Amino acid sequence: MNPSPRNGRGFWGDLVLVLALAIGAGWFLFRITTQVPYDWNWPALLPYLVRTEPELAPGLLLQGMAQTLRLSLWGGLGAIVVGTMGGLARVSHSPFWRLLSGVLIQGVRNTPPLVLVFLGYFFLADQIPWLATAQHAARQTTGLWRLLLECAFGPVGQLQSLLAAASILGVMEGAYVAEIVRAGIQSIPRGQWDAGYALGFSKGQILCHIILPQALRVMTPPLAGQGISTVKDSAIMAVISIQELTFQGMQLMATTYRTFETWIAVAAIYFVLTATLSSLAHAVERRLERGQEV
Amino acid sequence: MCAVLLGSSAPLHAEGSLDAILQRGVLRVGFDTFVPWAMKDTNGEYMGFEIDVARKLAEDMGVSVEFVPTKWSGIIPALLAGKFDIIIGGMGITPARNLKVNFSQPYEFSGMSIVASSQLAPHRSRLEDFNTPETVLAVKTGATSVAAAQKFMPKANLRLFDDEAQALQEVLTGRAHAMVASAPFPEHQAARHKERLYLPLAGQTFTREPIGFAVPKGDHDFLNFLNNWITVMNAQGWLEERYAYWFRTLDWESRLR
């Protein structure tokens, strides 16, 4: 499996394609800078990225980026927990567990994310009493605890809504992770289970020591993709006013009216985040492949 | 016995919201960014007329203030779901809203104003000029500007946007003839984009809207406190003085850049 670079169109074909794309992009840039009545003012955005007075500190957009990272991190961890349990339940012998995880997965996959976010935030989140307790306890913290809490969850006053949003994101992404886990486990040949049983291992031992280590290699690429999706999907939490990147961008537009610059900057920040994650995932994959060859 | 019962449940489940706020030591205020009511300066600090009002209210209650910026289209559901204690966000008192929330007496008055594109809709000076099926009006979703536009220009086409910046952009790019919004937004924009925008009514507002604090229904102690706080602030001239600073001057604009 090593296609030659000269395969297909060849050099001239590629050149024509690249030229056509460049002309298209140039024409588009020309149109939006000259034809659309809009005064471009990129420097106006600078203080909202990094502010220098009274001291060097992240601006509104970078604060939003940090909150997006926190939301994705906790949402992603939640998704791994929900997804692993859901995926294992899906391949369970008990019809009850299969049904339960089936309802979760089908329910999430067949409803629009926006509807799930509204339902989760306005109805379900208020029914979880420990969220309010956590919020109350967080307000009482001081000193080092407060600092650690703010590093992990952002401003203390927004803890409750951040946890609610992360939980919703965790369940939404978890449904997709569950299918990845199920597919990973089912991709391991039946013979591996039989061999385990023949050697006298228990079901749990076979799963932990034989099946999951092999399944993990199959699951890594789709899991990485889901992780990147989690960062992008976290933007939807702007509708319930979680102060992540998209929300801060919209607040910024309402203040400065610099619509295009702000959206482009927001898109660029998302791109940097997900491109970094992509290359990280790629490195992990290569690492795992090497392990297989040895 | 009663005190013991109350004491055990007080920290999280105090009876009225006034008690809950005092117990918590924090007043949570919901609003949406809207110049010059509430906005963030370049230092990341909130500023604006409503911000001044919220800070002063919290100070007089002896608690600290926590700002919860919230999308305008979902601000009432968020209040009812208990995401914050009060909306201090230039919310116009309307019967429809009042069916869902309680309003304090008005603490300021606002009005609708219109700003038009000088290329697409030049030389119009009356609202009737915009009341044609060809006219496209840009407004913000869920705001009283929608009702005002429908009442005064029922024949015009309304296009709804999530915030003022998008609605304004629609007029600037020439896809909408005019935009209806609370003063002084149209006036500020006409001054900022002199060559593309103008004020058909020469800066006059065509409605007068009472603005009140919104709180969840059923808590009359809190409402009584708010009403009397407004009476006291009016008597001291404090509200009028802050209103003049934010709406009749542009001294604060330097903090935005």
Side-chain angles (χ1 to χ4, degrees), chain A residues 37-38 48 51 53 60 121 126 139 157 241 243 251 253 255 257, chain B residues 32-33 40 42-43 66 69-71 83 165 169 172 185 189 192 256:
Chain A
Y38 190 84
Y48 294 99
R51 53 184 222 249
E53 285 176 19
L60 201 58
Y121 188 66
D126 295 328
R139 281 190 208 281
S241 306
Q243 299 185 33
Q251 296 280 302
M253 280 179 263
T255 309
Y257 315 116
Chain B
D32 195 7
T33 298
K40 254 190 176 173
T42 46
N43 288 334
E66 196 171 280
T70 306
K71 293 258 83 183
K83 308 297 178 190
Q169 195 55 44
L172 283 174
F185 179 87
Q189 296 313 314
R192 195 165 292 160
L256 281 181

PDB file of all heavy atoms in Angstrom, chain A residues 37-38 48 51 53 60 121 126 139 157 241 243 251 253 255 257, chain B residues 32-33 40 42-43 66 69-71 83 165 169 172 185 189 192 256:
ATOM      1  N   PRO A  37     -19.037  46.480   1.876  1.00  0.00           N
ATOM      2  CA  PRO A  37     -18.780  47.726   2.606  1.00  0.00           C
ATOM      3  C   PRO A  37     -18.462  47.436   4.065  1.00  0.00           C
ATOM      4  O   PRO A  37     -19.349  47.375   4.895  1.00  0.00           O
ATOM      5  CB  PRO A  37     -20.084  48.504   2.465  1.00  0.00           C
ATOM      6  CG  PRO A  37     -21.113  47.482   2.154  1.00  0.00           C
ATOM      7  CD  PRO A  37     -20.437  46.318   1.512  1.00  0.00           C
ATOM      8  N   TYR A  38     -17.231  47.217   4.374  1.00  0.00           N
ATOM      9  CA  TYR A  38     -16.832  46.874   5.740  1.00  0.00           C
ATOM     10  C   TYR A  38     -15.450  47.438   5.984  1.00  0.00           C
ATOM     11  O   TYR A  38     -14.544  47.232   5.184  1.00  0.00           O
ATOM     12  CB  TYR A  38     -16.818  45.349   5.894  1.00  0.00           C
ATOM     13  CG  TYR A  38     -16.646  44.869   7.316  1.00  0.00           C
ATOM     14  CD1 TYR A  38     -17.736  44.779   8.156  1.00  0.00           C
ATOM     15  CD2 TYR A  38     -15.400  44.510   7.807  1.00  0.00           C
ATOM     16  CE1 TYR A  38     -17.585  44.350   9.462  1.00  0.00           C
ATOM     17  CE2 TYR A  38     -15.242  44.080   9.106  1.00  0.00           C
ATOM     18  CZ  TYR A  38     -16.338  43.997   9.933  1.00  0.00           C
ATOM     19  OH  TYR A  38     -16.181  43.572  11.216  1.00  0.00           O
ATOM     20  N   TYR A  48      -8.258  42.379  23.038  1.00  0.00           N
ATOM     21  CA  TYR A  48      -9.149  41.319  23.486  1.00  0.00           C
ATOM     22  C   TYR A  48      -8.472  39.947  23.398  1.00  0.00           C
ATOM     23  O   TYR A  48      -9.006  38.952  23.844  1.00  0.00           O
ATOM     24  CB  TYR A  48     -10.444  41.337  22.677  1.00  0.00           C
ATOM     25  CG  TYR A  48     -11.237  42.592  22.931  1.00  0.00           C
ATOM     26  CD1 TYR A  48     -11.186  43.666  22.047  1.00  0.00           C
ATOM     27  CD2 TYR A  48     -11.983  42.725  24.094  1.00  0.00           C
ATOM     28  CE1 TYR A  48     -11.897  44.828  22.308  1.00  0.00           C
ATOM     29  CE2 TYR A  48     -12.682  43.877  24.373  1.00  0.00           C
ATOM     30  CZ  TYR A  48     -12.643  44.928  23.467  1.00  0.00           C
ATOM     31  OH  TYR A  48     -13.334  46.075  23.741  1.00  0.00           O
ATOM     32  N   ARG A  51      -4.108  41.486  26.899  1.00  0.00           N
ATOM     33  CA  ARG A  51      -4.140  42.872  27.366  1.00  0.00           C
ATOM     34  C   ARG A  51      -2.857  43.173  28.120  1.00  0.00           C
ATOM     35  O   ARG A  51      -2.277  42.296  28.769  1.00  0.00           O
ATOM     36  CB  ARG A  51      -5.372  43.156  28.189  1.00  0.00           C
ATOM     37  CG  ARG A  51      -5.632  42.226  29.347  1.00  0.00           C
ATOM     38  CD  ARG A  51      -6.939  42.608  29.992  1.00  0.00           C
ATOM     39  NE  ARG A  51      -6.806  42.551  31.427  1.00  0.00           N
ATOM     40  CZ  ARG A  51      -7.416  41.640  32.170  1.00  0.00           C
ATOM     41  NH1 ARG A  51      -8.183  40.746  31.619  1.00  0.00           N
ATOM     42  NH2 ARG A  51      -7.256  41.637  33.478  1.00  0.00           N
ATOM     43  N   GLU A  53      -2.449  46.279  29.942  1.00  0.00           N
ATOM     44  CA  GLU A  53      -2.633  47.167  31.080  1.00  0.00           C
ATOM     45  C   GLU A  53      -3.723  46.635  31.986  1.00  0.00           C
ATOM     46  O   GLU A  53      -4.743  46.152  31.488  1.00  0.00           O
ATOM     47  CB  GLU A  53      -3.009  48.567  30.592  1.00  0.00           C
ATOM     48  CG  GLU A  53      -1.813  49.298  30.023  1.00  0.00           C
ATOM     49  CD  GLU A  53      -2.219  50.656  29.456  1.00  0.00           C
ATOM     50  OE1 GLU A  53      -3.302  51.156  29.823  1.00  0.00           O
ATOM     51  OE2 GLU A  53      -1.467  51.194  28.670  1.00  0.00           O
ATOM     52  N   LEU A  60     -10.170  38.729  26.501  1.00  0.00           N
ATOM     53  CA  LEU A  60     -11.465  38.042  26.501  1.00  0.00           C
ATOM     54  C   LEU A  60     -11.438  36.752  25.686  1.00  0.00           C
ATOM     55  O   LEU A  60     -11.936  35.714  26.117  1.00  0.00           O
ATOM     56  CB  LEU A  60     -12.511  39.004  25.926  1.00  0.00           C
ATOM     57  CG  LEU A  60     -13.962  38.751  26.251  1.00  0.00           C
ATOM     58  CD1 LEU A  60     -14.187  38.739  27.742  1.00  0.00           C
ATOM     59  CD2 LEU A  60     -14.827  39.800  25.600  1.00  0.00           C
ATOM     60  N   TYR A 121     -29.887  21.490  30.135  1.00  0.00           N
ATOM     61  CA  TYR A 121     -29.526  22.642  30.959  1.00  0.00           C
ATOM     62  C   TYR A 121     -30.722  23.171  31.745  1.00  0.00           C
ATOM     63  O   TYR A 121     -30.620  23.451  32.925  1.00  0.00           O
ATOM     64  CB  TYR A 121     -28.944  23.739  30.083  1.00  0.00           C
ATOM     65  CG  TYR A 121     -28.362  24.891  30.866  1.00  0.00           C
ATOM     66  CD1 TYR A 121     -27.242  24.697  31.658  1.00  0.00           C
ATOM     67  CD2 TYR A 121     -28.942  26.146  30.819  1.00  0.00           C
ATOM     68  CE1 TYR A 121     -26.701  25.746  32.375  1.00  0.00           C
ATOM     69  CE2 TYR A 121     -28.399  27.198  31.534  1.00  0.00           C
ATOM     70  CZ  TYR A 121     -27.281  26.996  32.313  1.00  0.00           C
ATOM     71  OH  TYR A 121     -26.747  28.032  33.016  1.00  0.00           O
ATOM     72  N   ASP A 126     -31.087  21.097  36.907  1.00  0.00           N
ATOM     73  CA  ASP A 126     -31.622  21.546  38.192  1.00  0.00           C
ATOM     74  C   ASP A 126     -32.016  20.377  39.080  1.00  0.00           C
ATOM     75  O   ASP A 126     -32.238  20.544  40.270  1.00  0.00           O
ATOM     76  CB  ASP A 126     -32.847  22.441  37.962  1.00  0.00           C
ATOM     77  CG  ASP A 126     -32.440  23.706  37.239  1.00  0.00           C
ATOM     78  OD1 ASP A 126     -31.314  24.155  37.458  1.00  0.00           O
ATOM     79  OD2 ASP A 126     -33.249  24.225  36.457  1.00  0.00           O
ATOM     80  N   ARG A 139     -17.857  28.429  46.550  1.00  0.00           N
ATOM     81  CA  ARG A 139     -17.846  29.840  46.956  1.00  0.00           C
ATOM     82  C   ARG A 139     -17.134  30.043  48.285  1.00  0.00           C
ATOM     83  O   ARG A 139     -16.660  31.134  48.581  1.00  0.00           O
ATOM     84  CB  ARG A 139     -19.277  30.349  47.082  1.00  0.00           C
ATOM     85  CG  ARG A 139     -19.930  30.690  45.781  1.00  0.00           C
ATOM     86  CD  ARG A 139     -21.243  31.401  46.062  1.00  0.00           C
ATOM     87  NE  ARG A 139     -22.211  31.193  45.005  1.00  0.00           N
ATOM     88  CZ  ARG A 139     -22.196  31.841  43.852  1.00  0.00           C
ATOM     89  NH1 ARG A 139     -21.263  32.733  43.628  1.00  0.00           N
ATOM     90  NH2 ARG A 139     -23.089  31.596  42.932  1.00  0.00           N
ATOM     91  N   GLY A 157     -17.793  31.411  40.272  1.00  0.00           N
ATOM     92  CA  GLY A 157     -19.225  31.680  40.145  1.00  0.00           C
ATOM     93  C   GLY A 157     -19.883  30.903  39.020  1.00  0.00           C
ATOM     94  O   GLY A 157     -21.088  30.710  39.003  1.00  0.00           O
ATOM     95  N   SER A 241     -25.062  30.124  27.356  1.00  0.00           N
ATOM     96  CA  SER A 241     -24.252  31.177  27.976  1.00  0.00           C
ATOM     97  C   SER A 241     -23.112  30.653  28.839  1.00  0.00           C
ATOM     98  O   SER A 241     -22.756  31.263  29.841  1.00  0.00           O
ATOM     99  CB  SER A 241     -25.138  32.126  28.798  1.00  0.00           C
ATOM    100  OG  SER A 241     -26.179  32.611  27.993  1.00  0.00           O
ATOM    101  N   GLN A 243     -19.324  30.571  29.251  1.00  0.00           N
ATOM    102  CA  GLN A 243     -18.467  31.627  28.699  1.00  0.00           C
ATOM    103  C   GLN A 243     -17.231  31.053  28.015  1.00  0.00           C
ATOM    104  O   GLN A 243     -16.108  31.375  28.357  1.00  0.00           O
ATOM    105  CB  GLN A 243     -18.085  32.610  29.805  1.00  0.00           C
ATOM    106  CG  GLN A 243     -19.336  33.252  30.385  1.00  0.00           C
ATOM    107  CD  GLN A 243     -19.020  34.300  31.393  1.00  0.00           C
ATOM    108  OE1 GLN A 243     -18.027  34.984  31.290  1.00  0.00           O
ATOM    109  NE2 GLN A 243     -19.878  34.443  32.380  1.00  0.00           N
ATOM    110  N   GLN A 251     -20.031  38.027  22.560  1.00  0.00           N
ATOM    111  CA  GLN A 251     -20.079  39.183  23.464  1.00  0.00           C
ATOM    112  C   GLN A 251     -19.199  40.312  22.934  1.00  0.00           C
ATOM    113  O   GLN A 251     -19.558  41.481  22.992  1.00  0.00           O
ATOM    114  CB  GLN A 251     -19.589  38.773  24.862  1.00  0.00           C
ATOM    115  CG  GLN A 251     -20.466  37.758  25.542  1.00  0.00           C
ATOM    116  CD  GLN A 251     -21.682  38.405  26.166  1.00  0.00           C
ATOM    117  OE1 GLN A 251     -21.567  39.277  27.002  1.00  0.00           O
ATOM    118  NE2 GLN A 251     -22.851  37.993  25.735  1.00  0.00           N
ATOM    119  N   MET A 253     -18.406  40.875  19.815  1.00  0.00           N
ATOM    120  CA  MET A 253     -19.053  41.508  18.661  1.00  0.00           C
ATOM    121  C   MET A 253     -20.126  42.480  19.097  1.00  0.00           C
ATOM    122  O   MET A 253     -20.316  43.522  18.482  1.00  0.00           O
ATOM    123  CB  MET A 253     -19.645  40.430  17.765  1.00  0.00           C
ATOM    124  CG  MET A 253     -18.621  39.795  16.882  1.00  0.00           C
ATOM    125  SD  MET A 253     -19.359  38.514  15.885  1.00  0.00           S
ATOM    126  CE  MET A 253     -18.957  37.085  16.826  1.00  0.00           C
ATOM    127  N   THR A 255     -20.039  44.262  21.648  1.00  0.00           N
ATOM    128  CA  THR A 255     -19.397  45.461  22.190  1.00  0.00           C
ATOM    129  C   THR A 255     -18.705  46.274  21.103  1.00  0.00           C
ATOM    130  O   THR A 255     -18.827  47.489  21.053  1.00  0.00           O
ATOM    131  CB  THR A 255     -18.347  45.071  23.259  1.00  0.00           C
ATOM    132  OG1 THR A 255     -18.965  44.195  24.181  1.00  0.00           O
ATOM    133  CG2 THR A 255     -17.844  46.290  23.988  1.00  0.00           C
ATOM    134  N   TYR A 257     -18.713  45.532  17.547  1.00  0.00           N
ATOM    135  CA  TYR A 257     -19.316  45.428  16.211  1.00  0.00           C
ATOM    136  C   TYR A 257     -18.300  45.002  15.161  1.00  0.00           C
ATOM    137  O   TYR A 257     -18.490  45.241  13.979  1.00  0.00           O
ATOM    138  CB  TYR A 257     -19.996  46.736  15.790  1.00  0.00           C
ATOM    139  CG  TYR A 257     -20.816  47.327  16.886  1.00  0.00           C
ATOM    140  CD1 TYR A 257     -20.494  48.547  17.441  1.00  0.00           C
ATOM    141  CD2 TYR A 257     -21.899  46.618  17.409  1.00  0.00           C
ATOM    142  CE1 TYR A 257     -21.225  49.071  18.485  1.00  0.00           C
ATOM    143  CE2 TYR A 257     -22.639  47.134  18.441  1.00  0.00           C
ATOM    144  CZ  TYR A 257     -22.298  48.360  18.980  1.00  0.00           C
ATOM    145  OH  TYR A 257     -23.018  48.865  20.014  1.00  0.00           O
TER     146      TYR A 257
ATOM    147  N   ASP B  32     -27.442  40.907  29.112  1.00  0.00           N
ATOM    148  CA  ASP B  32     -26.745  40.606  27.862  1.00  0.00           C
ATOM    149  C   ASP B  32     -25.938  41.838  27.477  1.00  0.00           C
ATOM    150  O   ASP B  32     -26.297  42.951  27.856  1.00  0.00           O
ATOM    151  CB  ASP B  32     -27.747  40.256  26.756  1.00  0.00           C
ATOM    152  CG  ASP B  32     -27.068  39.598  25.560  1.00  0.00           C
ATOM    153  OD1 ASP B  32     -25.863  39.303  25.652  1.00  0.00           O
ATOM    154  OD2 ASP B  32     -27.737  39.381  24.555  1.00  0.00           O
ATOM    155  N   THR B  33     -24.851  41.619  26.766  1.00  0.00           N
ATOM    156  CA  THR B  33     -24.009  42.746  26.374  1.00  0.00           C
ATOM    157  C   THR B  33     -24.757  43.654  25.401  1.00  0.00           C
ATOM    158  O   THR B  33     -25.279  43.189  24.398  1.00  0.00           O
ATOM    159  CB  THR B  33     -22.724  42.232  25.716  1.00  0.00           C
ATOM    160  OG1 THR B  33     -22.012  41.463  26.671  1.00  0.00           O
ATOM    161  CG2 THR B  33     -21.854  43.382  25.246  1.00  0.00           C
ATOM    162  N   LYS B  40     -18.025  44.862  28.177  1.00  0.00           N
ATOM    163  CA  LYS B  40     -16.726  44.621  28.806  1.00  0.00           C
ATOM    164  C   LYS B  40     -15.716  45.594  28.235  1.00  0.00           C
ATOM    165  O   LYS B  40     -15.650  45.762  27.020  1.00  0.00           O
ATOM    166  CB  LYS B  40     -16.280  43.188  28.530  1.00  0.00           C
ATOM    167  CG  LYS B  40     -16.417  42.284  29.750  1.00  0.00           C
ATOM    168  CD  LYS B  40     -15.775  40.953  29.552  1.00  0.00           C
ATOM    169  CE  LYS B  40     -15.861  40.147  30.849  1.00  0.00           C
ATOM    170  NZ  LYS B  40     -15.405  38.787  30.699  1.00  0.00           N
ATOM    171  N   THR B  42     -11.607  46.895  27.735  1.00  0.00           N
ATOM    172  CA  THR B  42     -10.452  46.120  27.274  1.00  0.00           C
ATOM    173  C   THR B  42      -9.732  45.428  28.432  1.00  0.00           C
ATOM    174  O   THR B  42      -8.988  44.486  28.214  1.00  0.00           O
ATOM    175  CB  THR B  42      -9.453  47.013  26.514  1.00  0.00           C
ATOM    176  OG1 THR B  42      -9.268  48.194  27.282  1.00  0.00           O
ATOM    177  CG2 THR B  42      -9.953  47.359  25.142  1.00  0.00           C
ATOM    178  N   ASN B  43      -9.954  45.886  29.675  1.00  0.00           N
ATOM    179  CA  ASN B  43      -9.338  45.219  30.824  1.00  0.00           C
ATOM    180  C   ASN B  43     -10.155  44.026  31.298  1.00  0.00           C
ATOM    181  O   ASN B  43      -9.823  43.401  32.290  1.00  0.00           O
ATOM    182  CB  ASN B  43      -9.165  46.193  31.988  1.00  0.00           C
ATOM    183  CG  ASN B  43      -8.065  47.182  31.712  1.00  0.00           C
ATOM    184  OD1 ASN B  43      -7.153  46.890  30.943  1.00  0.00           O
ATOM    185  ND2 ASN B  43      -8.157  48.357  32.307  1.00  0.00           N
ATOM    186  N   GLU B  66     -22.205  39.304  41.248  1.00  0.00           N
ATOM    187  CA  GLU B  66     -21.622  38.363  40.294  1.00  0.00           C
ATOM    188  C   GLU B  66     -22.399  38.520  38.990  1.00  0.00           C
ATOM    189  O   GLU B  66     -23.626  38.412  38.980  1.00  0.00           O
ATOM    190  CB  GLU B  66     -21.782  36.943  40.841  1.00  0.00           C
ATOM    191  CG  GLU B  66     -20.915  35.930  40.172  1.00  0.00           C
ATOM    192  CD  GLU B  66     -20.996  34.618  40.950  1.00  0.00           C
ATOM    193  OE1 GLU B  66     -20.318  34.497  41.982  1.00  0.00           O
ATOM    194  OE2 GLU B  66     -21.768  33.745  40.534  1.00  0.00           O
ATOM    195  N   PRO B  69     -23.401  36.955  32.201  1.00  0.00           N
ATOM    196  CA  PRO B  69     -23.830  37.339  30.864  1.00  0.00           C
ATOM    197  C   PRO B  69     -24.615  36.200  30.212  1.00  0.00           C
ATOM    198  O   PRO B  69     -24.200  35.051  30.275  1.00  0.00           O
ATOM    199  CB  PRO B  69     -22.522  37.605  30.123  1.00  0.00           C
ATOM    200  CG  PRO B  69     -21.479  36.906  30.902  1.00  0.00           C
ATOM    201  CD  PRO B  69     -21.948  36.887  32.318  1.00  0.00           C
ATOM    202  N   THR B  70     -25.751  36.515  29.627  1.00  0.00           N
ATOM    203  CA  THR B  70     -26.659  35.493  29.119  1.00  0.00           C
ATOM    204  C   THR B  70     -27.257  35.941  27.798  1.00  0.00           C
ATOM    205  O   THR B  70     -27.593  37.116  27.643  1.00  0.00           O
ATOM    206  CB  THR B  70     -27.799  35.272  30.151  1.00  0.00           C
ATOM    207  OG1 THR B  70     -27.217  34.974  31.412  1.00  0.00           O
ATOM    208  CG2 THR B  70     -28.711  34.143  29.740  1.00  0.00           C
ATOM    209  N   LYS B  71     -27.381  35.034  26.853  1.00  0.00           N
ATOM    210  CA  LYS B  71     -27.993  35.356  25.562  1.00  0.00           C
ATOM    211  C   LYS B  71     -29.394  35.894  25.785  1.00  0.00           C
ATOM    212  O   LYS B  71     -30.170  35.320  26.540  1.00  0.00           O
ATOM    213  CB  LYS B  71     -28.065  34.119  24.665  1.00  0.00           C
ATOM    214  CG  LYS B  71     -26.727  33.593  24.209  1.00  0.00           C
ATOM    215  CD  LYS B  71     -26.420  33.992  22.782  1.00  0.00           C
ATOM    216  CE  LYS B  71     -25.844  35.373  22.733  1.00  0.00           C
ATOM    217  NZ  LYS B  71     -25.552  35.966  21.493  1.00  0.00           N
ATOM    218  N   LYS B  83     -30.773  30.406  37.306  1.00  0.00           N
ATOM    219  CA  LYS B  83     -29.362  30.569  36.983  1.00  0.00           C
ATOM    220  C   LYS B  83     -28.817  31.872  37.563  1.00  0.00           C
ATOM    221  O   LYS B  83     -27.621  32.051  37.692  1.00  0.00           O
ATOM    222  CB  LYS B  83     -29.143  30.545  35.465  1.00  0.00           C
ATOM    223  CG  LYS B  83     -29.762  29.338  34.765  1.00  0.00           C
ATOM    224  CD  LYS B  83     -29.142  28.028  35.217  1.00  0.00           C
ATOM    225  CE  LYS B  83     -29.823  26.849  34.535  1.00  0.00           C
ATOM    226  NZ  LYS B  83     -29.436  25.563  35.102  1.00  0.00           N
ATOM    227  N   ALA B 165     -25.044  43.503  16.567  1.00  0.00           N
ATOM    228  CA  ALA B 165     -23.922  43.617  15.626  1.00  0.00           C
ATOM    229  C   ALA B 165     -24.278  42.964  14.297  1.00  0.00           C
ATOM    230  O   ALA B 165     -24.005  43.522  13.227  1.00  0.00           O
ATOM    231  CB  ALA B 165     -22.677  42.970  16.229  1.00  0.00           C
ATOM    232  N   GLN B 169     -24.823  44.823  10.727  1.00  0.00           N
ATOM    233  CA  GLN B 169     -24.016  44.409   9.577  1.00  0.00           C
ATOM    234  C   GLN B 169     -24.903  44.211   8.351  1.00  0.00           C
ATOM    235  O   GLN B 169     -24.506  44.506   7.230  1.00  0.00           O
ATOM    236  CB  GLN B 169     -23.273  43.111   9.929  1.00  0.00           C
ATOM    237  CG  GLN B 169     -22.139  42.767   8.986  1.00  0.00           C
ATOM    238  CD  GLN B 169     -21.142  43.903   8.866  1.00  0.00           C
ATOM    239  OE1 GLN B 169     -20.756  44.499   9.848  1.00  0.00           O
ATOM    240  NE2 GLN B 169     -20.754  44.222   7.649  1.00  0.00           N
ATOM    241  N   LEU B 172     -25.380  47.579   6.935  1.00  0.00           N
ATOM    242  CA  LEU B 172     -24.121  48.091   6.364  1.00  0.00           C
ATOM    243  C   LEU B 172     -23.799  47.411   5.038  1.00  0.00           C
ATOM    244  O   LEU B 172     -23.309  48.049   4.112  1.00  0.00           O
ATOM    245  CB  LEU B 172     -22.967  47.862   7.349  1.00  0.00           C
ATOM    246  CG  LEU B 172     -22.895  48.823   8.535  1.00  0.00           C
ATOM    247  CD1 LEU B 172     -21.808  48.389   9.498  1.00  0.00           C
ATOM    248  CD2 LEU B 172     -22.641  50.240   8.057  1.00  0.00           C
ATOM    249  N   PHE B 185     -28.302  53.205  20.518  1.00  0.00           N
ATOM    250  CA  PHE B 185     -27.522  52.397  19.583  1.00  0.00           C
ATOM    251  C   PHE B 185     -27.574  52.950  18.157  1.00  0.00           C
ATOM    252  O   PHE B 185     -26.524  53.166  17.532  1.00  0.00           O
ATOM    253  CB  PHE B 185     -28.008  50.936  19.625  1.00  0.00           C
ATOM    254  CG  PHE B 185     -27.283  50.024  18.685  1.00  0.00           C
ATOM    255  CD1 PHE B 185     -26.105  49.399  19.074  1.00  0.00           C
ATOM    256  CD2 PHE B 185     -27.760  49.804  17.402  1.00  0.00           C
ATOM    257  CE1 PHE B 185     -25.431  48.563  18.208  1.00  0.00           C
ATOM    258  CE2 PHE B 185     -27.089  48.967  16.525  1.00  0.00           C
ATOM    259  CZ  PHE B 185     -25.920  48.341  16.937  1.00  0.00           C
ATOM    260  N   GLN B 189     -24.304  54.446  15.962  1.00  0.00           N
ATOM    261  CA  GLN B 189     -23.872  53.831  14.709  1.00  0.00           C
ATOM    262  C   GLN B 189     -23.907  54.816  13.547  1.00  0.00           C
ATOM    263  O   GLN B 189     -23.036  54.802  12.691  1.00  0.00           O
ATOM    264  CB  GLN B 189     -24.743  52.599  14.390  1.00  0.00           C
ATOM    265  CG  GLN B 189     -24.595  51.498  15.408  1.00  0.00           C
ATOM    266  CD  GLN B 189     -23.137  51.216  15.734  1.00  0.00           C
ATOM    267  OE1 GLN B 189     -22.297  51.113  14.846  1.00  0.00           O
ATOM    268  NE2 GLN B 189     -22.826  51.116  17.017  1.00  0.00           N
ATOM    269  N   ARG B 192     -20.887  56.768  13.737  1.00  0.00           N
ATOM    270  CA  ARG B 192     -19.674  55.996  13.432  1.00  0.00           C
ATOM    271  C   ARG B 192     -19.548  55.735  11.933  1.00  0.00           C
ATOM    272  O   ARG B 192     -18.461  55.686  11.399  1.00  0.00           O
ATOM    273  CB  ARG B 192     -19.717  54.677  14.214  1.00  0.00           C
ATOM    274  CG  ARG B 192     -18.406  53.963  14.266  1.00  0.00           C
ATOM    275  CD  ARG B 192     -18.433  52.896  15.336  1.00  0.00           C
ATOM    276  NE  ARG B 192     -18.504  53.467  16.680  1.00  0.00           N
ATOM    277  CZ  ARG B 192     -18.925  52.797  17.746  1.00  0.00           C
ATOM    278  NH1 ARG B 192     -19.338  51.564  17.628  1.00  0.00           N
ATOM    279  NH2 ARG B 192     -18.943  53.371  18.931  1.00  0.00           N
ATOM    280  N   LEU B 256     -13.100  51.453  25.786  1.00  0.00           N
ATOM    281  CA  LEU B 256     -13.358  50.320  24.898  1.00  0.00           C
ATOM    282  C   LEU B 256     -12.222  50.064  23.926  1.00  0.00           C
ATOM    283  O   LEU B 256     -12.233  49.095  23.194  1.00  0.00           O
ATOM    284  CB  LEU B 256     -14.646  50.547  24.105  1.00  0.00           C
ATOM    285  CG  LEU B 256     -15.947  50.273  24.837  1.00  0.00           C
ATOM    286  CD1 LEU B 256     -17.122  50.512  23.931  1.00  0.00           C
ATOM    287  CD2 LEU B 256     -15.977  48.861  25.383  1.00  0.00           C
TER     288      LEU B 256
END
